[in-house]
Amino acid sequence: MKTVLIGLATAFALALPAFAQAPAAQPPREWIDKDTGHRVVRLSDEPGSSSLYFNYNGYTPQGDKLVIATPKGLSTVDLATRKLAPLVEEDGKFLFVGRKTRSAYYIVTEGKTRVVKAVDIDSKKVRVVARFDRGDIQTINADETLLGGVVVTKPEIETRPDGMLKRDNRFDQAAYEAVGPDGKPLSFAEAKEVRLNERLESKIPMEMFVIDTRTGEKRVVHAATDWLNHLQFSPTDPNLLMFCHEGPWHKVDRLWLLRTDQPGAKPVKIHTRTMNMEIAGHEWFSADGKTVWYDLQTPRGEDFWVAGYEIATGKRAWYHVERNAWSVHFNSSPDGKLFAGDGGDSEMVAHAPDGKWLYLMHPRGIPDVAGIHAPDSEHLIRPGVIDAEKLVNMSAHDYRLEPNVNFTPDGKWMVFRSNMHGANHVYAVELAKAK
């Protein structure tokens, strides 16, 4: 399935990057990482295959199969045998797998119409779920009755797939060139921040909408001139939607929750900044839907946390992360006891000197000394630290392709995508050390 980029992408790393891949011999099917002692297996057969963005579900509700995108379409991976089987061949973009039915959803373009389709993972029967004219579908709710998406409400405003303003080839090629106040060229990272801010300050009118998968009815649930993005329905509450305000993270209030079953409901902010240059983002729901977790930095690039917000109570937990273990994306295990991180190269926000690893992260709470509690301790942030265990050496990986780690439903493996052997492939690493 060739990647078709439609409207605003869910996140900058959702689609495979457009840099050339060097020809390479077929990567090994299985090996023991000599630096970590963990077993790594290749799940995909075709170069250019990809697993989903870190917070999207790619697994069947029963946890027996994983769906991946291939150059020809979608394929399933039997998680017990690792047998790969084609599922559908159609030119479109893989969206997600349902949490209730054994359906994989994808989107195609038919003329000027966007068409969301679902393929049954067992029978391979394809059905049309919804049709709409403009925008981008980013999420599906827990019982698969609502699709969620975003759209720029002024058709005359052209945007790139990553949501940036579309102006010329320089921007289409994601070369974010810009100069600073002194007239000198900025680094790639700083130039990108300039372009993000330019897009944010354009105050382009946008809407978040839902489409009823049973009737095809489309309704708007929120409208704003904020840059709306990164929609995620709760994995357990069919009417709870999380979204972000996109833009420079140190400037925007990024994390928000909204109830879609309450007309006129106001978004609820999840995190409030307490210092200049504090950033929070790359948020996701815990598997039980009770907690929102996110990457928190106080300030940006200096002090790193995996932070949690308990939805029902508003209680918070922060687990400190060492610089080298900071990751482009974090994730949590199905039982909520562990975290994962996909590392990052030295050019990224943490500027980690040794950060190109996949990590299994063990959270450890910091208890009160001698059991003596502060009078208001139950209302304070619960602190902790992350003990990070290296799983895979990613030194040969080009982080323009973000690995996007996620746990298998049984909690025994971590799936990721990588170009460590040249072409993009889907891999998995076993959490237990090889015997």
Side-chain angles (χ1 to χ4, degrees), residues 10-329:
T10 302
F12 299 119
L14 188 57
L16 297 180
F19 56 87
Q21 296 183 8
Q26 188 79 327
R29 178 61 72 179
E30 181 176 327
W31 71 95
I32 306 297
D33 190 300
K34 62 182 180 62
D35 296 300
T36 71
H38 287 267
R39 180 163 58 128
V40 185
V41 299
R42 175 168 52 87
L43 300 178
S44 57
D45 286 340
E46 297 179 85
S49 297
S50 178
S51 53
L52 283 170
Y53 191 58
F54 82 107
N55 56 13
Y56 281 23
N57 178 52
Y59 300 97
T60 55
Q62 295 75 21
D64 59 325
K65 290 187 177 181
L66 166 70
V67 179
I68 64 172
T70 72
K72 296 178 181 177
L74 301 180
S75 292
T76 59
V77 180
D78 187 303
L79 294 175
T81 65
R82 301 206 294 274
K83 182 179 179 181
L84 199 67
L87 180 59
V88 66
E89 292 188 5
E90 192 165 2
D91 190 12
K93 183 179 77 170
F94 181 25
L95 293 174
F96 30 68
V97 175
R99 296 184 184 276
K100 182 179 180 181
T101 69
R102 294 172 66 82
S103 301
Y105 293 80
Y106 60 100
I107 191 167
V108 300
T109 301
E110 296 180 357
K112 295 182 178 180
T113 303
R114 311 280 195 251
V115 183
V116 178
K117 297 184 179 183
V119 55
D120 183 274
I121 289 172
D122 300 310
S123 70
K124 300 185 181 181
K125 184 178 179 180
V126 176
R127 71 183 193 277
V128 173
V129 178
R131 297 178 183 272
F132 60 103
D133 56 351
R134 298 178 58 251
D136 180 40
I137 296 297
Q138 299 188 349
T139 187
I140 191 168
N141 68 347
D143 61 9
E144 298 177 50
T145 59
L146 293 175
L147 296 166
V150 293
V151 64
V152 171
T153 56
K154 288 189 174 182
E156 65 272 18
I157 298 176
E158 287 192 284
T159 56
R160 299 184 341 198
D162 62 6
M164 302 287 278
L165 295 174
K166 189 172 183 179
R167 294 188 172 174
D168 54 38
N169 290 336
R170 175 172 56 120
F171 290 91
D172 288 341
Q173 296 167 0
Y176 300 97
E177 289 95 339
V179 297
D182 59 1
K184 295 181 180 179
L186 295 173
S187 67
F188 174 84
E190 289 189 343
K192 185 175 180 180
E193 292 290 325
V194 170
R195 298 308 176 199
L196 287 170
N197 189 60
E198 181 183 61
R199 165 63 179 83
L200 174 68
E201 289 300 316
S202 296
K203 297 190 181 301
I204 297 172
M206 296 187 69
E207 291 176 347
M208 296 195 313
F209 61 86
V210 295
I211 298 176
D212 192 309
T213 59
R214 299 156 296 186
T215 66
E217 178 191 5
K218 178 182 174 182
R219 59 186 171 92
V220 174
V221 295
H222 182 60
T225 56
D226 300 298
W227 184 358
L228 308 175
N229 202 7
H230 218 248
L231 276 60
Q232 302 171 64
F233 268 114
S234 162
T236 55
D237 184 336
N239 295 299
L240 185 62
L241 180 64
M242 179 162 60
F243 67 96
C244 86
H245 287 174
E246 197 68 83
W249 284 17
H250 65 279
K251 180 176 180 178
V252 298
D253 289 319
R254 182 177 166 96
L255 287 67
W256 300 83
L257 290 173
L258 178 72
R259 294 213 62 87
T260 61
D261 57 346
Q262 298 174 1
K266 300 297 183 183
V268 175
K269 187 165 62 172
I270 296 175
H271 181 87
T272 298
R273 183 180 292 105
T274 58
M275 68 170 66
N276 191 36
M277 291 303 297
E278 178 177 330
I279 65 172
H282 280 167
E283 58 283 356
W284 77 97
F285 282 104
S286 60
D288 61 11
K290 294 180 179 180
T291 304
V292 172
W293 294 103
Y294 53 98
D295 172 6
L296 173 64
Q297 299 177 32
T298 57
R300 180 185 189 273
E302 294 298 332
D303 214 2
F304 310 95
W305 309 82
V306 173
Y309 169 80
E310 193 172 80
I311 297 169
T313 66
K315 291 183 178 180
R316 300 179 183 275
W318 292 8
Y319 293 98
H320 193 261
V321 180
E322 292 297 327
R323 182 178 297 275
N324 281 331
W326 171 84
S327 296
V328 184
H329 302 107

Side-chain angles (χ1 to χ4, degrees), residues 349-411:
V349 64
H351 298 289
D354 185 26
K356 296 182 73 171
W357 300 86
L358 297 190
Y359 296 97
L360 180 63
M361 298 180 163
H362 305 264
R364 174 167 49 89
I366 297 176
D368 293 326
V369 174
I372 302 170
H373 309 293
D376 58 347
S377 61
E378 64 180 58
H379 302 295
L380 300 177
I381 295 168
R382 300 191 305 274
V385 295
I386 293 287
D387 297 321
E389 175 188 357
K390 294 176 179 177
L391 295 182
V392 183
N393 187 328
M394 299 290 282
S395 59
H397 178 81
D398 184 335
Y399 269 84
R400 287 179 291 176
L401 175 74
E402 295 165 351
N404 286 289
V405 288
N406 62 82
F407 289 89
T408 55
D410 63 7

